[in-house]
Amino acid sequence: MAVLPILTVEKPADEALLRQKSKRVSRLDGGLQRLIDDLIDTVHANDGLGLAAPQVGRLLRICVVELPTDYDDPLAGQTLVLCNPEIVRLSEETWEPSEGCLSVPRYWAHILRAMRCTVKARDRQWKEFRVKGEGLLAQVLQHEIDHLNGVLFYDHLPSLDLLRPVEEKPPRQTRAASVAAVPGA
Ligand code: NI
């Protein structure tokens, strides 16, 4: 298990990779199980809420999502491993939470997201499952699946002028509040 370097848009070669569409996985061999362990180690080391394989340079449809233990969600603290995730339902109701990304250091923005989503995926035992997310969980699921399609959070902005530097981040109070304010995923 290892903490892997995260690709960022600050390097043109990294950005070119982050912009590619990732390939579906047909099965999980030992190498891909190690990749999943490394994704989990890497998201923990970076205090993130999620990480997608292309963010470590592997163009595969695998991502991990984990809400902080103290966040008010039934799945808080659980590590979700999603292989070949697909959004099967998005609510019409939307919100505009603040959002960041481990591959876009030092910036955040308010992003229009569906309030709820249902995602179908396979877990690391290759069993199919569905997860319904609301609020932050729905936001992180949408963000990670975007990564698998080469989409970055600021692509949803009508103008890049709406991208804010981290210095403008709302003041930190509790960890849950700060994570919810600007999730890096
Ligand atoms: Ni991200």
Side-chain angles (χ1 to χ4, degrees), residues 33 44 52 59 67 70 82 104 109 127 139 144 153 157 173:
Q33 292 286 356
H44 286 164
L59 294 173
L67 300 193
D70 54 0
L82 300 110
V104 186
K127 223 174 112 185
Q139 179 189 5
E144 298 312 329
F153 74 94
L157 293 173
Q173 291 169 347

Side-chain angles (χ1 to χ4, degrees), residues 88 118-121 128-132:
V88 292
T118 304
V119 171
K120 182 177 83 171
E128 197 172 285
F129 71 103
R130 281 176 187 239
V131 55
K132 284 185 183 181

Side-chain angles (χ1 to χ4, degrees), residues 21-28 32 59-62 83-87 120-122 126 128 148-149:
K21 194 168 171 172
S22 291
K23 289 193 172 68
R24 287 177 68 85
V25 177
S26 54
R27 66 186 187 92
L28 291 182
L32 291 185
L59 294 173
L60 298 168
R61 299 186 84 79
I62 298 174
C83 303
N84 300 332
E86 284 173 42
I87 293 178
K120 182 177 83 171
R122 286 187 185 270
W126 207 244
E128 197 172 285
L148 305 181
N149 294 320

Side-chain angles (χ1 to χ4, degrees), residues 50-52 55 99-104 143-144 147 151-153 183-185:
L51 191 67
Q55 291 181 275
E99 188 163 323
C101 178
L102 297 173
S103 293
V104 186
H143 179 112
E144 298 312 329
H147 273 302
V151 173
L152 297 169
F153 74 94

Side-chain angles (χ1 to χ4, degrees), residues 3-7 42 55-57:
V3 175
L4 304 173
I6 295 179
L7 275 55
T42 305
Q55 291 181 275
V56 297

Side-chain angles (χ1 to χ4, degrees), residues 5-79:
I6 295 179
L7 275 55
T8 75
V9 294
E10 291 171 334
K11 293 185 192 163
D14 286 6
E15 195 196 358
L17 269 174
L18 288 166
R19 286 307 191 177
Q20 291 190 43
K21 194 168 171 172
S22 291
K23 289 193 172 68
R24 287 177 68 85
V25 177
S26 54
R27 66 186 187 92
L28 291 182
D29 57 16
L32 291 185
Q33 292 286 356
R34 274 194 299 281
L35 171 64
I36 290 169
D37 287 335
D38 292 348
L39 287 171
I40 294 169
D41 284 352
T42 305
V43 76
H44 286 164
N46 287 277
D47 208 14
L49 305 185
L51 191 67
Q55 291 181 275
V56 297
R58 302 292 299 275
L59 294 173
L60 298 168
R61 299 186 84 79
I62 298 174
C63 59
V64 298
V65 168
E66 190 181 298
L67 300 193
T69 321
D70 54 0
Y71 196 78
D72 182 20
D73 188 286
L75 290 176
Q78 282 189 43
T79 309

Side-chain angles (χ1 to χ4, degrees), residues 91-164:
S91 66
E92 283 181 21
E93 188 187 346
T94 56
W95 64 321
E96 280 190 90
S98 48
E99 188 163 323
C101 178
L102 297 173
S103 293
V104 186
R106 295 194 293 279
Y107 288 94
W108 64 276
H110 289 284
I111 302 296
L112 189 69
R113 293 286 186 192
M115 177 64 87
R116 286 174 295 281
C117 71
T118 304
V119 171
K120 182 177 83 171
R122 286 187 185 270
D123 64 16
R124 64 186 307 176
Q125 282 78 42
W126 207 244
K127 223 174 112 185
E128 197 172 285
F129 71 103
R130 281 176 187 239
V131 55
K132 284 185 183 181
E134 179 168 357
L136 181 62
L137 179 57
Q139 179 189 5
V140 179
L141 287 166
Q142 290 166 74
H143 179 112
E144 298 312 329
I145 292 171
D146 273 352
H147 273 302
L148 305 181
N149 294 320
V151 173
L152 297 169
F153 74 94
Y154 53 76
D155 298 341
H156 295 284
L157 293 173
S159 160
L160 287 183
D161 294 343
L162 296 168
L163 212 48
R164 314 261 48 120

